[in-house]
Amino acid sequence: MRFRFFAPPIGAAPQASASRTTAQRATVQLITALLAITLFAAACATADTDAPIPDTVPATATSAPGSADDPDQQTAPAATSTSVAGSGDGAVVLDPREKGALRNHLGYSFPLPPEVPTGPLSQSAINDLEFIWGGLQSEVGFSGLVVARLAQSGDARVAWVLSDLLRFFQFGDIADGALSAFQSLTDARVTEDPVFTRSPWQSVTDHLLAWDLPAFDGYAEYKERLFTLVEPGWQPFFDDPGSEIDWRIVSWGGVLIDNRQLGDTRPCPRGCIPALDDPAVTDTSGGSWYPDDGIVFAVVLGDEARAYPRHIMEIHEMVNDTLGGRRIGMPYCTLCGSAQAYLTDAVPDGVAVPVLRTSGLLSRSNKVMYDLVTKSVFNTFTGKAISGPLREQGIVLPQATVVTTTWGEWKAAHPDTTIVAQDGGIGRQYPLDPLGGRDDRGPIFPVGDVDGRLSVHDQVFGVVLDDGTPVAFPVAAAVAALEDGGTVELGGVTLHLDGGGLRAVDAAGSEIDGHQSFWFAWSQFMADTLLWEP
């Protein structure tokens, strides 16, 4: 996703009359938010929408962790912390021995999680939630006072709905009420989290993710009522009673659903990140427009090789294509630095080949992709269908290796390769750097605690063994070792160079499908991963 969060600017709502109540202004703010959503998302279809995203610093931000204002606040141990160039102001890599504490990517230590009750919410909390959600769905509106009153429940599980409200109301009395209730319910001093200065919503949600705080029964229904107000196209994702979607970790990515039919090259009518279907391609001579040092995501299937330029993938984030006689769907999560190639034709007879699309939702900062045909949601990192008809049929899409390298190195190693045409075959112009350093300060959506063995945005090449064991290799160190004639091996996995990028084989020499991603993404979706060290 290219949009971190929606925060309606102060004064963006229509001018209120003197008689307009705070509750009515809440509804106006939501309506204004939805209008801004459409305007922003529609703009994503143009080439100049991917400018760097400005940071927002709320006036409530205060001290950093471990400051004189809170001498008891835990801090990252200085003796085992080292600075990381290019990973954001104040970013640290923590010694694995210090992993006992939960920390975010800036070294902030999350406090202990609050105690939570079991059983249903209190009736008073339900009454308040119904009043708030009724105001969202009507012109009655609601005020920040009723949101703050949720703290009286004493039930920290309510913090999940506070996070959801903060996603759409990040300024004003509703945001103030949500933050007040959150801090009362959890005793978390979120203003001391450096992330809070950029996004209070991100900080609040990071705390909840790090704690793995349980949700109350019925939470998904409240999320459904709120999120389908924003995008009715998400309704099918909530309709599967056997869904494996963990709605706690799902957030809005700032754009709406891509539900255009296969081959539709028009921008989304209401705004989305539009997939590129069956792009035009050229040979290496026709690809002279792309600089040799430009990054490509390359795939080989059968006797065909193809390179997908990163800057084009940054605009579309999804390609449906045919290569080597196989049908593939290729998501690229820019937030995770992860391009993957799924064999979408590897489905049982009688099952339509999935058409992969971007939903506009995120799962712990990873794009949520879905099948346009059946409206089934997939785990983008694993290819497993987790809701809808394809979940019921147990579909898990196999992957092909994606080699991340430069165009010059790839075409030298694969002279018969093709590359996506300069205009994608749709007459579009693509800026060579559409993100403009957007991720330079660390994850811009909630990810919770991080594995401190590497910096969050270090690239790793990862594979999953047949027994489910994940294995990851830091890319820079692995490539350097191989170029020096060394061996890179761990857990029965051996790496080889291919056109400047990496491939993996097992002990028998058979290829193991793999791909690169940012370390924070790989480690959070592949728990207890083995990590190679040079």
Side-chain angles (χ1 to χ4, degrees):
M1 298 292 176
R2 294 185 289 279
F3 190 46
R4 179 170 73 248
F5 59 84
F6 175 75
I10 296 173
Q15 182 65 39
S17 67
S19 61
R20 190 185 300 274
T21 65
T22 301
Q24 288 172 319
R25 286 197 298 272
T27 300
V28 170
Q29 188 179 12
L30 180 61
I31 293 171
T32 304
L34 300 183
L35 290 174
I37 294 167
T38 304
L39 291 174
F40 171 83
C44 286
T46 65
D48 60 353
T49 59
D50 298 289
I53 301 169
D55 291 311
T56 302
V57 182
T60 52
T62 57
S63 56
S67 70
D69 292 339
D70 182 13
D72 296 326
Q73 176 69 33
Q74 292 178 322
T75 58
T80 58
S81 301
T82 56
S83 297
V84 181
S87 56
D89 298 338
V92 293
V93 172
L94 301 174
D95 187 291
R97 292 170 296 180
E98 301 298 331
K99 285 185 61 183
L102 298 176
R103 294 184 175 90
N104 68 12
H105 65 284
L106 296 179
Y108 166 78
S109 295
F110 294 103
L112 293 175
E115 294 184 3
V116 295
T118 58
L121 291 180
S122 66
Q123 188 59 52
S124 62
I126 292 174
N127 292 342
D128 286 340
L129 288 176
E130 287 300 318
F131 184 86
I132 293 168
W133 258 250
L136 286 168
Q137 296 173 294
S138 71
E139 295 183 359
V140 175
F142 59 99
S143 72
L145 293 176
V146 69
V147 178
R149 197 167 64 201
L150 287 169
Q152 297 177 9
S153 69
D155 192 332
R157 296 175 298 175
V158 172
W160 285 110
V161 297
L162 299 175
S163 166
D164 292 334
L165 288 172
L166 279 169
R167 183 64 185 93
F168 298 99
F169 298 100
Q170 294 191 17
F171 292 103
D173 69 325
I174 294 174
D176 292 342
L179 289 170
S180 173
F182 177 81
Q183 293 183 103
S184 295
L185 288 167
T186 65
D187 289 328
R189 301 175 181 178
V190 290
T191 57
E192 298 180 1
D193 175 9
V195 170
F196 185 87
T197 64
R198 183 169 65 190
S199 167
W201 165 72
Q202 184 179 351
S203 176
V204 162
T205 311
D206 275 342
H207 280 75
L208 297 175
L209 293 173
W211 294 331
D212 192 20
L213 198 77
F216 59 87
D217 290 343
Y219 164 67
E221 284 76 9
Y222 285 103
K223 193 142 192 171
E224 173 185 355
R225 289 164 62 184
L226 173 58
F227 275 54
T228 54
L229 275 177
V230 177
E231 172 54 89
W234 294 330
Q235 184 62 58
F237 306 158
F238 291 93
D239 289 344
D240 180 1
S243 170
E244 299 173 24
I245 298 173
D246 184 347
W247 286 109
R248 298 176 305 163
I249 67 175
V250 175
S251 61
W252 176 50
V255 292
L256 301 181
I257 194 169
D258 179 8
N259 55 9
R260 300 164 310 127
Q261 294 302 305
L262 181 67
D264 190 343
T265 62
R266 296 172 298 176
C268 301
R270 298 172 55 243
C272 74
I273 298 179
L276 181 62
D277 299 327
D278 300 296
V281 299
T282 68
D283 58 15
T284 54
S285 61
S288 60
W289 62 272
Y290 196 51
D292 282 351
D293 62 354
I295 300 298
V296 296
F297 305 124
V299 182
V300 177
L301 287 174
D303 58 356
E304 281 193 82
R306 182 159 299 158
Y308 299 84
R310 182 174 64 180
H311 73 297
I312 292 179
M313 295 295 292
E314 286 175 337
I315 295 295
H316 292 286
E317 297 195 9
M318 183 73 73
V319 169
N320 292 277
D321 202 3
T322 299
L323 183 66
R326 301 297 303 272
R327 195 69 183 156
I328 65 171
M330 192 169 176
Y332 175 48
C333 177
T334 63
L335 295 168
C336 295
S338 177
Q340 297 169 255
Y342 287 105
L343 304 178
T344 50
D345 59 3
V347 292
D349 291 342
V351 176
V353 173
V355 176
L356 298 184
R357 288 285 187 260
T358 295
S359 67
L361 299 172
L362 297 172
S363 177
R364 201 164 175 164
S365 199
N366 191 19
K367 72 186 289 102
V368 174
M369 69 180 184
Y370 79 103
D371 168 33
L372 180 66
V373 179
T374 63
K375 305 300 185 292
S376 300
V377 171
F378 283 91
N379 180 320
T380 306
F381 229 74
T382 66
K384 179 182 179 182
I386 56 177
S387 79
L390 298 185
R391 178 200 62 79
E392 295 174 356
Q393 297 176 69
I395 300 298
V396 180
L397 298 175
Q399 300 186 52
T401 292
V402 176
V403 176
T404 302
T405 184
T406 65
W407 173 227
E409 290 173 299
W410 182 254
K411 66 183 178 183
H414 298 269
D416 293 330
T417 188
T418 55
I419 184 173
V420 174
Q422 184 173 10
D423 68 350
I426 60 174
R428 179 163 181 166
Q429 294 182 345
Y430 296 93
L432 288 177
D433 185 18
L435 298 186
R438 181 201 62 185
D439 299 311
D440 288 350
R441 295 181 59 196
I444 59 176
F445 276 93
V447 299
D449 57 301
V450 299
D451 186 327
R453 288 179 287 174
L454 295 175
S455 181
V456 285
H457 279 154
D458 281 350
Q459 281 274 348
V460 296
F461 182 87
V463 302
V464 179
L465 303 179
D466 289 341
D467 64 0
T469 301
V471 187
F473 302 82
V475 170
V479 169
L482 292 171
E483 289 178 340
D484 287 343
T487 299
V488 176
E489 188 275 335
L490 179 65
V493 180
T494 302
L495 297 192
H496 297 289
L497 291 172
D498 181 8
L502 296 171
R503 288 187 181 275
V505 297
D506 61 18
S510 300
E511 183 167 355
I512 308 173
D513 301 319
H515 65 93
Q516 289 186 199
S517 76
F518 291 143
W519 169 242
F520 87 83
W522 179 267
S523 59
Q524 72 181 8
F525 286 101
M526 301 295 179
D528 301 319
T529 188
L530 300 178
L531 179 62
W532 177 80
E533 297 180 2

